[in-house]
């Protein structure tokens, strides 16, 4: 298994290695792009979870049923 941090650090090394085995170096660029998309998605999910936690706390602090529904 390849280390994504190492690929991000030195993509040219991995492109050359992949090419020497008959692979397309553009595949390494695709891996880097997909990793970046995954990292962005994780950031968005974490932000949404933080929002959900904050709203849950506000609901818990609401005193009456009408206020909780709002």
């Amino acid at each position: 298994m390849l280390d994504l941090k190492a690929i991000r650090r030195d993509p040219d090394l991995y492109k050359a290695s992949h090419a020497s085995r008959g692979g397309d170096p553009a595949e390494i660029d695709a891996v880097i792009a997909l990793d970046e998309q995954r990292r962005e998605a994780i950031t968005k999910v974490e932000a949404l979870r933080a929002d959900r936690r904050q709203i849950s706390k506000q609901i818990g602090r609401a005193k009456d049923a009408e206020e909780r529904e709002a």
Side-chain angles (χ1 to χ4, degrees), residues 1-62:
M1 169 119 355
L2 297 174
D3 182 19
L4 287 173
K5 289 180 185 179
I7 293 173
R8 282 193 304 264
R9 243 188 343 258
D10 193 4
D12 293 332
L13 174 69
Y14 287 89
K15 287 178 188 179
S17 176
H18 191 57
S20 73
R21 294 185 177 116
D24 183 7
E27 292 173 349
I28 301 298
D29 290 329
V31 167
I32 293 170
L34 289 170
D35 179 53
E36 188 171 323
Q37 289 176 2
R38 180 183 74 65
R39 291 165 54 118
E40 288 173 4
I42 289 171
T43 301
K44 289 178 185 178
V45 166
E46 292 299 323
L48 290 171
R49 284 183 181 156
D51 289 345
R52 183 182 65 189
R53 282 192 296 270
Q54 182 181 8
I55 291 169
S56 292
K57 286 181 183 180
Q58 290 173 352
I59 290 171
R61 283 183 261 165

